[in-house]
Amino acid sequence: MTVKILMVCLGNICRSPLAEGILQSKLDPERFQVDSCGTSSYHIGEKPDRRSIEIAKKYDIDITNQRAAQFKISDFDTYDFIYPMDNSNYNNIIQLSRNETDKQKVKLILDELQPNAGLDVPDPYYGGEQGFEDVFKMLQSACDTIARKL
Ligand code: 4NP
């Protein structure tokens, strides 16, 4: 059986595409499926932000084939683990949950590094290139922990 993991941010063009690419690079594709989406509809169908594509490429990860999608209720049935990048998106998803089983699948991604600390992966969209480097490093650490546990 394939274990399915979903990374979630707001636009699905900056943070969650990186989280998808990074975790995928650490797992066996025969056994694991990693996807990403956004809670908003702002960028549906678009490629990841150029700055995310570039930082991923610097670390030998290709995310150019990804296209933005919006989170949907049926994702609770499809995925085993759902990782929002920040508290705002965590709350958005929890509001859509139908029952306790749905809720238990949802965990802040940085809680994998610092349990229950409630830390956000900051939104790098309106910042500079350094923001993307910082986000990449955070997601690299978090995905290392996730891959080790799976
Ligand atoms: P993301 O970043 O949630 O990491 O993809 C954002 C991308 C776009 C917007 C906000 C955040 N936006 O407002 O369009």
Side-chain angles (χ1 to χ4, degrees), residues 9-17 42-43 89 123-126:
C9 62
L10 178 61
N12 192 209
I13 55 168
C14 297
R15 292 165 290 179
S16 61
Y42 306 154
H43 297 279
N89 287 295
D123 181 354
Y125 188 61
Y126 294 106

Side-chain angles (χ1 to χ4, degrees), residues 5-149:
I5 302 126
L6 183 64
M7 302 298 193
V8 187
C9 62
L10 178 61
N12 192 209
I13 55 168
C14 297
R15 292 165 290 179
S16 61
L18 285 174
E20 175 186 333
I22 292 167
L23 186 61
Q24 241 164 23
S25 75
K26 298 177 188 296
L27 297 175
D28 176 359
E30 300 274 309
R31 296 176 51 221
F32 298 94
Q33 177 185 325
V34 188
D35 294 308
S36 66
C37 70
T39 54
S40 78
S41 61
Y42 306 154
H43 297 279
I44 291 174
E46 293 179 24
K47 280 188 189 181
D49 187 282
R50 174 188 53 79
R51 296 162 296 177
S52 282
I53 290 176
E54 280 173 8
I55 195 74
K57 192 174 169 204
K58 180 176 163 188
Y59 294 97
D60 285 323
I61 295 172
D62 182 2
I63 61 168
T64 55
N65 288 333
Q66 294 187 30
R67 295 295 178 271
Q70 186 174 18
F71 182 83
K72 49 187 189 301
I73 305 279
S74 61
D75 289 333
F76 285 117
D77 302 319
T78 307
Y79 293 94
D80 303 294
F81 300 98
I82 298 173
Y83 284 113
M85 301 293 119
D86 62 23
N87 282 277
S88 161
N89 287 295
Y90 176 90
N91 292 332
N92 289 341
I93 296 169
I94 290 294
Q95 269 168 18
L96 295 171
S97 67
R98 303 156 299 183
N99 52 47
E100 205 50 40
T101 309
D102 287 355
K103 283 193 180 75
Q104 280 169 4
K105 294 182 177 187
V106 188
K107 183 174 181 179
L108 270 179
I109 191 162
L110 291 186
D111 272 10
E112 290 289 358
L113 287 176
Q114 293 185 64
N116 303 314
L119 296 176
D120 291 339
V121 178
D123 181 354
Y125 188 61
Y126 294 106
E129 312 284 334
Q130 185 59 41
F132 284 78
E133 184 84 41
D134 295 344
V135 163
F136 190 93
K137 299 246 164 74
M138 278 176 216
L139 292 175
Q140 183 79 272
S141 306
C143 290
D144 266 338
T145 305
I146 294 169
R148 245 183 286 121
K149 279 170 55 173

